[in-house]
Amino acid sequence: MDADDLAMLAGPASAVAPRLLGSYLVRELNGRRLVGKIVETEAYDESDAASHTFRGQTKRNATMLGEPGHLYVYFTYGMHYCCNVVCGPAGYGSGVLIRAVEPVEGEELMVQNRHGVIGRNLTSGPGRVCQSLAIDKTFDGHDLNQPPISLVIQPALPDCDIIQATRIGIKQAVEMPWRFYDRQSRFVS
DNA sequence: CCGGTGATGCCCT
DNA sequence: GGGCATCACCGGT
């Protein structure tokens, strides 16, 4: 990421979320590279009742109020990790949940991380993304400009390929249309 | 293909 | 002590 990319991430989550479609999440693991193309995202913002930051800063969500371009990882439902790209200015709690990626490189190792799951279910869903790329809470706060997890921004998808919809799995603010996915991808949750 | 449900642990109230 | 930004598995279609 260069200075322009970081400036983009400092913008509002609802603008960053569609902009991240088509970019790459790169994970270096055991000397190998795992690359996933981001194909589904959701925006979360402190003005938003579904967001972890809605009720202010806590020990769990502190990363989300930090510097844009870092990774916010949280644990949920007793067994899954989910990861977000922190966005917005420092001090403002917002981020973009990575809900699905498409394997681009290192698919065999992703399958191994997922205990043999193959096909669409390999990486379609936020818990699956983290498991396939071996991302856990130890990476909460990680700078996405540094190995072993980095974000490589690609050109924006054309508008005609971006579908906007309501978010999944939440009980608050269900009507906000802050989920975005790539129409061309079969790896959407 | 679809909906229901059990698993399971941490954070917040 | 309740609730959760989920997943895998099961059964019925």
Side-chain angles (χ1 to χ4, degrees), chain A residues 5 19-24 37 152-157:
Chain A
D5 296 331
R19 178 65 186 82
L20 288 183
L21 297 176
S23 288
Y24 295 115
K37 182 172 79 169
V152 179
I153 302 292
Q154 295 295 120
L157 287 192

Side-chain angles (χ1 to χ4, degrees), chain A residues 22-117:
Chain A
S23 288
Y24 295 115
L25 198 53
V26 179
R27 169 76 160 110
E28 291 162 45
L29 182 66
N30 301 331
R32 283 187 278 182
R33 263 164 59 92
L34 306 181
V35 180
K37 182 172 79 169
I38 297 168
V39 296
E40 181 180 355
T41 58
E42 284 179 358
Y44 288 89
D45 179 291
E46 64 180 46
S47 69
D48 157 24
S51 174
H52 290 169
T53 49
F54 183 61
R55 293 169 200 282
Q57 182 167 349
T58 65
K59 180 178 155 191
R60 174 215 215 182
N61 68 20
T63 297
M64 243 180 124
L65 289 98
E67 292 291 329
H70 289 234
L71 196 64
Y72 168 50
V73 182
Y74 66 90
F75 183 71
T76 193
Y77 291 105
M79 58 190 88
H80 300 294
Y81 296 101
C82 297
C83 69
N84 292 242
V85 176
V86 174
C87 56
Y92 190 83
S94 62
V96 172
L97 174 69
I98 307 301
R99 282 199 59 89
V101 302
E102 197 170 300
V104 169
E105 189 180 325
E107 183 168 346
E108 275 190 24
L109 186 47
M110 292 185 202
V111 171
Q112 196 175 314
N113 290 338
R114 292 270 297 126
H115 308 111
V117 174

